[in-house]
Amino acid sequence: MSFQQTELSFAYPMADEEIPIAVAVAVDKNKSDTPENGGGKDEIDSREMRKSARREYHKCIERKRRDRMRALYEELRVLTQLAEPTDKNAVLADAIKLIQTLKAETSMLEQQVFLKKKQRRFG
């Protein structure tokens, strides 16, 4: 069985950058030439290379998304002043508590300001 290795590079446009992707595909020459496998060798090679390129592109994008999520969770953990790294659910729960506390404090301060303004006008 003989295999041909081909390399193909794609650059997919991203919102903030382009990610060049190099893909190496092993193609079985014996299976590619048969009509029952969908056509000629060149068509099969092209399809397999595109499929591999899409897969590599998806893996790269997914890795980038996970890295960004990890960084955002770490930033949220620091902002909520958790002393030690904890699981993501604990970070989110503490962030929710902090936001609720800050909203309550903001509301209370707004009421105090309103009452002081009212006292100045009428008092």
Side-chain angles (χ1 to χ4, degrees):
M1 185 182 296
S2 60
F3 289 95
Q4 174 187 1
Q5 193 159 358
T6 308
E7 192 166 301
L8 181 62
S9 180
F10 290 95
Y12 292 92
M14 296 289 297
D16 54 347
E17 64 184 72
E18 287 189 4
I19 302 173
I21 300 173
V23 179
V25 180
V27 178
D28 184 351
K29 288 182 184 178
N30 297 328
K31 289 185 180 180
S32 297
D33 292 332
T34 59
E36 60 269 3
N37 285 328
K41 179 181 154 291
D42 292 337
E43 186 179 328
I44 299 287
D45 289 351
S46 168
R47 263 187 282 167
E48 288 181 16
M49 285 190 288
R50 282 193 307 267
K51 186 176 180 181
S52 293
R54 283 192 309 266
R55 189 177 308 121
E56 289 300 317
Y57 174 73
H58 176 74
K59 286 192 321 192
C60 187
I61 295 301
E62 185 62 23
R63 188 177 307 117
K64 185 177 177 181
R65 185 191 69 80
R66 285 191 311 266
D67 290 344
R68 180 158 163 65
M69 287 295 292
R70 200 172 296 121
L72 290 172
Y73 270 109
E74 179 60 23
E75 186 176 346
L76 191 58
R77 185 188 69 77
V78 170
L79 287 173
T80 56
Q81 300 175 350
L82 289 173
E84 60 189 55
T86 57
D87 68 334
K88 292 176 182 178
N89 292 331
V91 171
L92 290 176
D94 285 348
I96 289 169
K97 279 193 269 185
L98 178 62
I99 290 169
Q100 289 171 339
T101 302
L102 291 173
K103 278 186 169 185
E105 287 177 13
T106 301
S107 177
M108 184 181 66
L109 290 172
E110 286 173 344
Q111 286 177 348
Q112 288 176 359
V113 168
F114 177 75
L115 290 175
K116 285 189 180 189
K117 284 183 179 180
K118 190 175 179 182
Q119 286 175 350
R120 286 184 190 160
R121 272 191 223 160
F122 300 113

